[in-house]
Amino acid sequence: GTQASNSYLLHVMRAAKLVLEECEPYVALRHWLQRAELPVPSVRAEVIVPAAQRALAEATRAVGEADGAGAAWLQARGPPWNEDATGVWPEPGTVDKAVARARDVAEARYRTAFDRCRLALKANPEVLRADWFKSFWSRNYDALTVISVLRNLQQDVDQTRYWFDAQLRAAKKCKEYRGPDKVSTNLGSRDPATEACLIDCLIEVLFHSEEDRATYRADPLMQLALDEPEGHFDFTVVSAMGVIT
């Protein structure tokens, strides 16, 4: 026909050339500007409104009170392992009433601290940059990680008990560790004594740094094993995946 001389490939080539010509300023800028770092401003009390200041003060006070109550409970409970029977899983037994009351107080204080921190974050999102808030946040994160594995072991989910047994047998232990090298038949027990020893074992196998292990053995928030409240959660999962050739 009359358009026989109009090659499809010719027009594609012309379009591609036009696109490349239009992109030249962007390509030049991209090759010149590699990275830009902007200073992150710190939290300044003078720019926080009074309502947010009150929320922050209540949150810091609640965290301090919770840690105080938790430390009192942890001291009353004592070490998880029997000093006279190192490396032996304890038998389920009765709980001292005074220790149980101290635990209830500590749990209630931490629940209150969670609520106060949530209100503080809502009132002033900049609190995420505050050292005390980041510290409490990371402690919660690591505690929930341990609790997740703890509940899976107790409920015998998938192959977690097989994995846990292998870890206890093969993992390198720190010199402060007083637990056994093999699992117990009481893994499914929710008895406080058995659960405390199980948490101690999980701290040993889940955290590589001995400094972290010592820190969380002395952290009442970790030792309390507080489950997340039931309900609906609004969160976003961000996943980054690559191709390994």
Side-chain angles (χ1 to χ4, degrees), residues 197-211:
C197 293
L198 189 52
I199 292 173
D200 192 73
C201 291
L202 286 174
I203 291 175
E204 189 68 22
V205 302
L206 289 178
F207 295 96
H208 174 74
S209 170
E210 293 189 8
E211 182 180 352

Side-chain angles (χ1 to χ4, degrees), residues 74-221:
L74 201 57
Q75 183 177 6
R77 190 205 68 177
W81 302 103
N82 189 341
E83 296 297 333
D84 298 329
T86 301
V88 179
W89 287 93
E91 294 294 330
T94 58
V95 181
D96 184 89
K97 292 183 178 180
V99 175
R101 286 195 296 270
R103 177 188 171 88
D104 292 340
V105 172
E107 180 175 348
R109 294 285 176 83
Y110 274 115
R111 299 290 186 191
T112 300
F114 298 156
D115 293 337
R116 296 292 183 270
C117 286
R118 183 171 62 251
L119 294 176
L121 180 61
K122 183 178 180 180
N124 180 29
E126 294 292 319
V127 74
L128 275 173
R129 298 173 180 170
D131 291 337
W132 69 269
F133 194 91
K134 289 190 292 186
S135 174
F136 193 54
W137 183 293
S138 64
R139 289 169 58 199
N140 274 278
Y141 179 87
D142 287 338
L144 287 174
T145 300
V146 172
I147 293 168
S148 175
V149 182
L150 171 69
R151 299 302 179 225
N152 284 343
L153 288 171
Q154 291 173 332
Q155 299 165 12
D156 195 13
V157 176
D158 294 332
Q159 298 295 318
T160 49
R161 292 188 180 182
Y162 176 80
W163 164 85
F164 184 53
D165 182 62
Q167 290 295 322
L168 280 183
R169 294 176 186 274
K172 183 180 178 181
K173 314 296 192 306
C174 65
K175 60 183 180 180
E176 290 80 12
Y177 180 65
R178 297 293 182 267
D181 292 328
K182 59 182 180 180
V183 298
S184 166
T185 56
N186 296 324
L187 284 182
S189 173
R190 294 292 293 267
D191 178 80
T194 304
E195 192 170 89
C197 293
L198 189 52
I199 292 173
D200 192 73
C201 291
L202 286 174
I203 291 175
E204 189 68 22
V205 302
L206 289 178
F207 295 96
H208 174 74
S209 170
E210 293 189 8
E211 182 180 352
D212 289 339
R213 297 176 192 176
T215 297
Y216 283 126
R217 283 193 168 101
D219 187 356
L221 181 56

Side-chain angles (χ1 to χ4, degrees), residues 47-84:
V47 300
I48 304 177
V49 297
Q53 288 181 338
R54 289 192 297 270
L56 293 175
E58 291 177 0
T60 53
R61 182 171 60 252
V63 171
E65 292 175 351
D67 284 339
W73 163 75
L74 201 57
Q75 183 177 6
R77 190 205 68 177
W81 302 103
N82 189 341
E83 296 297 333
D84 298 329

